[in-house]
Amino acid sequence: MQIPVIVQTAGLLTLSNVFMTVAWYGHLKNFSTKAWYVAAFASWGIALFEYLLQVPANRIGYTQYSLAQLKIMQEVITLSVFVPFAMIYMNEPFKTDYIWAGLCLIGAVYFIFRS
């Protein structure tokens, strides 16, 4: 059984985004007392796994979707990963701005995938 391109692409991009979010923002909690270069090297190591998932995700997705469609898919996934990360891991409060940003992305999805 072949896994549909959308499932492969979205799944790999979601996993990639988890690594990306931890690499970009996790050091703010975990390495806040360390020198910036320690946080940078730790983030760099985590980001390697992001790229190992993101590159095949985009190559697979590009067989069926346009570059713009892949980018919008990435942005939707990014917000979907970032909000729980910010709230659960970083203990940030929920903001209604997350809803407005999500609605804007729904509009972007509509316009980029409508044809």
Side-chain angles (χ1 to χ4, degrees), residues 45-107:
I46 295 167
L48 169 65
F49 296 100
E50 179 223 342
Y51 279 96
L52 292 174
L53 295 165
Q54 175 267 340
V55 170
N58 283 321
R59 285 179 171 231
I60 292 166
Y62 196 60
T63 64
Q64 194 166 330
Y65 300 101
S66 72
L67 190 61
Q69 288 172 326
L70 286 171
K71 182 59 182 170
I72 296 302
M73 187 185 310
Q74 173 69 37
E75 295 304 329
V76 169
I77 291 169
T78 297
L79 187 63
S80 300
V81 169
F82 175 77
V83 171
F85 174 85
M87 293 174 58
I88 296 167
Y89 189 75
M90 298 296 289
N91 297 315
E92 295 279 327
F94 178 78
K95 297 179 179 182
T96 54
D97 290 342
Y98 296 150
I99 294 171
W100 304 127
L103 291 172
C104 288
L105 284 174
I106 289 171

Side-chain angles (χ1 to χ4, degrees), residues 25-46:
Y25 304 109
H27 64 87
L28 298 173
K29 181 175 181 177
N30 299 317
F31 291 95
S32 61
T33 60
K34 304 284 186 196
W36 71 266
Y37 53 85
V38 173
F41 280 113
S43 293
W44 216 11
I46 295 167

